[in-house]
Amino acid sequence: MGSKDNRTSSFVIKKYCDEHTCTKSWKLKGLTAPFLTRKFRDEFRDNEKMPLKKFSEKVQIEYNLIPTRSKLGRARRASVKEIRGEDDDQYNQLWDYGEELRKSNPGSKFFLCTKEIVDEKTKETKEHFSTLYWSLDACKRGRVNGCRPIIFIDGCHIKTRYKGNLLTTVSIDPNDCIYPIAFGLVEVESTSSWEWFMASLKDDLNICNTSPYTIMSDKQKGLIKAVAKVWPDAEHRFCVRHMYQNFHKLHKGEQLKNNLWAIARATNNLAYRKAMQKMEQDSIDAYKWVEKWPPRTWIKAFFNPFPKCDILLNNMSEVFNSWILEAR
């Protein structure tokens, strides 16, 4: 037992009993999901994809308690929601963003298309997001004045509540670095969406003659058809890294990988034949797989010299796709 001592203004133990009769409580009502949200909001601001296992370890170190997995999940979702906001609110602010973009950077393009959909519950007709294309005027002027006539295009999936696909186009600046040009947002990645995006890009850049340009992409079927239709005279080449991903599924090994890149980087017929012979010696199946692809689309020795865009082309494809993976 203890009480306050007025003389010393302290708490004094007056009677000690070494036998405890109280029961242990293993539950702490104060450790709730809102509490964890407030305490670990900055942690999720640095890493929104923090695994629940790691989150549990942080809580255990801080408070010597292990919350349930469902409580940790609620706290993580609430933290990310506070940081990023509601998806609906962000979509509603797109019109304001477009107006601010045109105001702060005159000459920029921002095309937002919506479609009318009937709500099954309320039977009301509402406008829903369909497609979006935007580009910055400063980036377009920099591309004309300093970039080479080569355009890399690719798309990646958006892993949010409403999904969708982000389409990107970049080029190479004089320092051999990635230079962004324009972006697009569509519901699905298809032939029609790629045709719309490539046509919007062509009109935005005021390109009439496509023959000096080189388009580089993966071998997505809809993209190949769109480039052939909208940019008929451009040199269309394929990313070797994407080709290797398909190649690696059937033919594994570091040596075969090096052989594939040696073939792609061959700058003359002699180097190409030597690289092909090396591939045939190591694996006849891999040799047949490589032989079926048109050499003009991915091997330096057979590139059309008119576009003059073969410098570091294969290396740039690796850099570009690494940039796309980071964006995902």
Side-chain angles (χ1 to χ4, degrees):
M1 297 179 61
S3 62
K4 184 178 180 182
D5 188 355
N6 294 329
R7 293 174 298 177
T8 59
S9 299
S10 60
F11 192 82
V12 179
I13 301 297
K14 297 181 178 180
K15 184 179 179 180
Y16 173 70
C17 181
D18 58 352
E19 295 183 1
H20 295 274
T21 58
C22 57
T23 59
K24 294 183 178 180
S25 177
W26 297 101
K27 293 183 179 180
L28 182 62
K29 295 182 179 180
L31 194 67
T32 61
F35 175 82
L36 295 175
T37 301
R38 294 193 302 270
K39 292 297 182 179
F40 292 91
R41 185 186 300 112
D42 294 336
E43 297 279 351
F44 285 104
R45 193 182 301 276
D46 297 334
N47 182 16
E48 293 184 1
K49 298 181 180 180
M50 183 193 303
L52 292 182
K53 183 178 180 181
K54 185 176 180 180
F55 184 23
S56 177
E57 293 175 355
K58 288 180 176 292
V59 175
Q60 185 178 6
I61 294 174
E62 185 74 18
Y63 300 104
N64 198 24
L65 291 170
I66 304 178
T68 61
R69 185 176 180 85
S70 60
K71 184 181 293 185
L72 294 172
R74 293 196 303 271
R76 182 174 66 177
R77 288 193 298 270
S79 299
V80 174
K81 182 179 178 180
E82 290 184 8
I83 295 170
R84 303 179 62 178
E86 288 284 357
D87 292 338
D88 294 348
D89 297 337
Q90 296 184 25
Y91 276 93
N92 291 331
Q93 293 177 358
L94 283 176
W95 293 110
D96 297 334
Y97 172 75
E99 290 298 327
E100 185 63 28
L101 186 65
R102 299 187 187 99
K103 179 181 178 181
S104 59
N105 196 348
S108 302
K109 301 297 182 181
F110 188 90
F111 305 136
L112 176 60
C113 300
T114 59
K115 60 182 180 181
E116 294 183 350
I117 296 180
V118 178
D119 192 341
E120 296 180 356
K121 295 182 179 179
T122 61
K123 303 300 180 182
E124 296 180 357
T125 302
K126 299 181 180 180
E127 288 190 353
H128 286 251
F129 174 86
S130 179
T131 57
L132 172 62
Y133 172 90
W134 76 97
S135 63
L136 301 178
D137 181 68
C139 292
K140 291 186 292 184
R141 286 187 283 106
R143 188 207 66 82
V144 173
N145 296 328
C147 292
R148 306 172 189 177
I150 180 171
I151 297 176
F152 299 83
I153 54 179
D154 200 359
C156 63
H157 297 281
I158 301 176
K159 298 179 181 179
T160 59
R161 177 183 175 186
Y162 296 107
K163 308 301 180 181
N165 290 84
L166 176 66
L167 311 181
T168 58
T169 59
V170 299
S171 187
I172 306 176
D173 65 10
N175 293 326
D176 292 330
C177 296
I178 294 175
Y179 190 90
I181 302 176
F183 305 89
L185 191 61
V186 296
E187 293 179 305
V188 294
E189 191 175 357
S190 61
T191 302
S192 59
S193 61
W194 275 117
E195 287 182 0
W196 164 81
F197 181 69
M198 296 302 294
S200 301
L201 177 66
K202 182 180 177 182
D203 296 338
D204 189 17
L205 300 179
N206 297 321
I207 296 176
C208 299
N209 181 19
T210 59
S211 57
Y213 286 85
T214 299
I215 305 295
M216 187 168 184
S217 68
D218 58 5
K219 296 182 71 66
Q220 209 269 350
K221 293 182 180 179
L223 182 53
I224 295 175
K225 294 179 181 179
V227 172
K229 181 178 180 180
V230 182
W231 299 64
D233 301 323
E235 182 84 1
H236 192 182
R237 299 171 186 168
F238 301 128
C239 171
V240 183
R241 175 167 178 171
H242 281 95
M243 293 180 62
Y244 171 70
Q245 290 177 351
N246 297 329
F247 176 84
H248 182 68
K249 295 178 182 178
L250 302 174
H251 314 287
K252 304 183 183 298
E254 189 69 20
Q255 184 59 47
L256 295 181
K257 175 184 176 181
N258 295 335
N259 292 343
L260 181 69
W261 281 101
I263 295 172
R265 295 190 177 104
T267 56
N268 52 64
N269 288 331
L270 179 60
Y272 165 72
R273 289 196 297 269
K274 287 184 178 180
M276 288 294 288
Q277 289 176 1
K278 186 68 171 61
M279 178 70 81
E280 186 177 13
Q281 293 174 2
D282 293 336
S283 174
I284 188 65
D285 294 334
Y287 171 81
K288 292 179 180 179
W289 189 95
V290 172
E291 195 178 26
K292 68 179 181 180
W293 299 111
R296 185 172 178 175
T297 60
W298 66 287
I299 301 175
K300 277 188 176 183
F302 300 94
F303 284 166
N304 186 354
F306 180 74
K308 299 180 177 60
C309 291
D310 61 335
I311 301 177
L312 297 179
L313 188 60
N314 294 324
N315 293 335
M316 193 61 193
S317 67
E318 292 186 359
V319 176
F320 171 61
N321 284 279
S322 299
W323 180 75
I324 287 293
L325 291 175
E326 292 178 359
R328 292 177 184 174

